[in-house]
Structures are given as C-alpha cells and as structure tokens.
Amino acid sequence: MSLAGLGWVAKSLTAAAELGLADHLDGSPMTAEELAKQTGTHPETLEALLRILSTIGVFGRDDAGVYRNTALSDQLRDGHPQSMRHYVMLSGGLYADTFSAVTHTLRTGESAFRHLHGTRIYEYLEQHPAEADLYDKAMADLARPVAAALADAYDFAAVRSVLDIGGNSGELLKGLLTAHPHLTGTCLDRPDVCARAAAELATSPRKYLAERLTYQPGDFLEAVPADADLYTVKNVLHNWNREHSVVILGRIREAMERAGAGRPVDERPRLLVIEPLVETDVDWIRVLFQMVVCEDGTRGRTDEVQRAQITEAGLEVLDTLRLSTGHTVHICAAAH
C-alpha cells in the first residue's frame, strides 16, 4: 500500500511547489490555518498535505502544529540558489501524466508521450506556451548544479568561446560565464526557446551576461555553427534514440572540423558530452522515463554505449571527468 501510494506523495509535493508554500514559509513559520489564508487554500486539506510531506522531511512541524521549512523544502523556493521547484512541477505534472500510459510503452516499446499527444515532446511544447515556459525553468533547475560542478572540474584557461547545443535557456552557460569572466557563450536551441530565453535574460538580475551570452536559433539535427573553441551537449542525447544521437554528434563534429581548420591539433575545438549514464540498478528509473516520455527507440546509455555512439559519429574520446552531480563528461575531439 505504501509503494502504491507514492504517486499521491509525488502529487502532494507538486501541489506544494505550485502553491509556493516554501516561499510563504521562508522566515515565517505558520500553522496550516495561517498558511491557508496566505495561499487561498482549504485549511483542513492543507493540513493533510503538510502532514504527509513533513513525514518525509519536506517541511518541519512542531508540537504546536507550526510548520517551517527544512533543507528539502528550501529547494522548493524560487529564490534558492539550487531551486528544484519548477522541475518538481514538471515531474509531477506533464511527466507523471505521461506515465499514465506506461502500459502502452511496455506493450509496444513506443513512446507513451507520442501515443498520448501524437507528437514528440518538443513539438508539443511549441504548441503549449505555458508548459514550455515551465519546461524551460525546470531544465534550468537541472542545469544549475551541473554548471557549478563543470566550472570547477574543467580547465577553461585556453577557451574563449563556448557553444552549448540544445542548451535551452542557457543556464549551463550562465554558470560557466559567471565563474569564468573571460568566456563568451552561444546557446543553440529551437527558435521559440531562444526567444523566451533572450527575453527572460534581458529582465533578469543576470542581464549583464547579455553582453557575453547570445542565443542562436537552429536545428542541431541539420547544422551546428562553427565558431567556438569548446562545444558542450548536456542531457540532450538521452532524449534521442541512437540514430538521432549519432546525427547530432556528427553535426557537432562537422562544426568542430570547420572551426579547427588551420589550427594546430592541440588548439582545435573540443566537445564535452555531459550525461548521467546507466551505472546502477537505480538508474533504470531514468531509463524507463526515457522510454515513456522521449522519442521512440530512446534507451539509457552505459559508458560503453555512449563511447560507441561518439566513435560512430567520427569523434574520439580524449579523456573523461566525473562531476559531483553524477554526470560523466566525455572530452572529445574530431577523429583523425
């Protein structure tokens, strides 16, 4: 019964994120009744939700029935430097709703998302602006800690320009450019994503980065710009099947070859392929997610499979890094 009810817990967590409960409790512990007045909710129902979440460490509750934030609920705040609020809303919303059709994937091996919506997730988002905005913010939540870890782990001294392929709102680049002021960055993504990201950056507290961060609309299945010292592709390939992954890597390799023409070998562009790989049994949760939500034929990748895709695309792995976030970074060059 407890396992079967985990979906209810996830939906409760999603509701807490949607209502902004952690922001209301930031510095102001309250009873459920007081919090209900602040959020326009039903006191008894809110009490039940808070009780559920407090039992698993999301929110704290004292003997007087006063609720406060914990280290977990702090990450549901918009202003937290490692906020996961929007990812929780995406995971417990669109993603969880897609899992209602997991049996279709189990019976056919096909994407449940396509079965439900008749298209891939990216085309769906283009037609649903509100969900696309949430998706952008959720991807920023996921990219923020990776940017901090990569900024420390990789040597950017010889790099001047970085192009992030499928970089969404540019959160990875924002982190790298903040940590390394000598860098400039370009984020390649769909036109609608770039338009939203550029508008958001122009009015954000980090609008000063607009001098060094640009957005390039494009289709990385067709072509990648050839004007960077370093290329990055993070959490992108696992959303595509093997065939498309090799095409994406091949387009990047073509851009690297054009950008590196005439340069000494040790000064030619590098590519960082940044992915969480399948390493333990727990990682199969993510594998099933990719089968259900991503395009037909998408599967989890082990290190061996990832390297094989890289080689098939005409690249060679020079070295690897392990980030504190659990991501593996394959440092690649165009094969010669």
Side-chain angles (χ1 to χ4, degrees):
M1 287 179 65
S2 296
L3 289 172
L6 288 177
W8 308 340
V9 176
K11 285 293 188 180
S12 296
L13 184 66
T14 302
E18 291 173 346
L19 292 168
L21 300 185
D23 284 303
H24 286 284
L25 289 176
D26 184 28
S28 303
M30 302 181 204
T31 64
E33 185 172 354
E34 292 168 334
L35 188 56
K37 290 179 181 178
Q38 293 285 325
T39 58
T41 53
H42 185 260
E44 290 179 79
T45 309
L46 183 61
E47 176 83 53
L49 182 140
L50 290 167
R51 287 277 189 131
I52 291 169
L53 295 180
S54 65
T55 63
I56 58 172
V58 181
F59 303 116
R61 181 181 184 274
D62 63 21
D63 293 338
V66 175
Y67 293 91
R68 57 180 45 80
N69 279 337
T70 64
L72 277 177
S73 61
D74 260 340
Q75 286 192 266
L76 292 180
R77 292 192 294 108
D78 265 335
H80 192 279
Q82 300 298 341
S83 175
M84 290 291 286
R85 181 188 177 205
H86 295 99
Y87 178 75
V88 166
M89 292 164 63
L90 176 66
S91 182
L94 182 62
Y95 285 173
D97 294 345
T98 303
F99 259 79
S100 67
V102 64
T103 308
H104 173 80
T105 301
L106 290 168
R107 286 176 172 156
T108 67
E110 299 171 352
S111 166
F113 194 96
R114 180 183 286 277
H115 173 68
L116 288 173
H117 301 289
T119 187
R120 292 186 302 202
I121 187 170
Y122 299 118
E123 286 81 4
Y124 172 87
L125 292 173
E126 289 177 356
Q127 302 301 318
H128 296 80
E131 290 183 283
D133 180 66
L134 174 61
Y135 182 89
D136 292 347
K137 291 174 180 175
M139 294 304 102
D141 287 350
L142 295 181
R144 208 171 291 119
V146 180
L150 183 63
D152 288 338
Y154 187 77
D155 184 3
F156 288 90
V159 179
R160 290 295 176 269
S161 58
V162 183
L163 194 151
D164 190 24
I165 295 93
N168 201 264
S169 61
E171 196 66 29
L172 179 72
L173 289 172
K174 292 174 187 176
L176 297 181
L177 269 57
T178 299
H180 300 284
H182 71 284
L183 294 177
T184 61
T186 301
C187 180
L188 175 71
D189 216 304
R190 303 189 315 276
D192 62 306
V193 175
C194 290
R196 288 193 302 271
E200 187 276 332
L201 180 61
T203 59
S204 77
R206 291 184 289 180
K207 59 185 178 183
Y208 60 88
L209 288 176
E211 297 179 358
R212 295 190 288 131
L213 174 59
T214 58
Y215 294 91
Q216 176 68 55
D219 181 352
F220 50 55
L221 289 169
E222 298 296 330
V224 171
D227 53 3
D229 298 323
L230 181 70
Y231 292 77
T232 57
V233 57
K234 181 196 71 65
N235 284 35
V236 170
L237 299 182
H238 68 219
N239 291 331
W240 299 85
N241 60 34
R242 182 186 179 96
E243 179 183 354
H244 280 138
S245 293
V246 172
V247 170
I248 294 166
L249 290 169
R251 295 291 179 253
I252 300 171
R253 189 251 311 151
E254 292 167 0
M256 293 167 65
E257 290 176 336
R258 295 196 303 274
R263 295 192 197 183
V265 172
D266 60 352
E267 295 180 10
R268 291 173 187 171
R270 298 289 184 258
L271 165 66
L272 306 184
V273 180
I274 308 164
E275 290 278 351
L277 301 178
V278 178
E279 299 172 312
T280 69
D281 286 347
V282 174
D283 294 328
W284 283 92
I285 297 173
R286 189 173 64 250
V287 174
L288 181 59
F289 161 81
Q290 289 159 358
M291 293 176 174
V292 170
V293 176
C294 302
E295 71 168 351
D296 290 345
T298 304
R299 301 290 184 267
R301 282 80 184 263
T302 62
D303 182 77
E304 181 181 6
V305 171
Q306 188 81 307
R307 287 173 179 268
Q309 292 179 155
I310 290 169
T311 300
E312 187 176 342
L315 295 155
E316 60 180 330
V317 177
L318 304 178
D319 201 357
T320 60
L321 293 174
R322 179 73 174 184
L323 300 184
S324 58
T325 55
H327 291 73
T328 296
V329 182
H330 289 101
I331 304 171
C332 307
H336 299 288

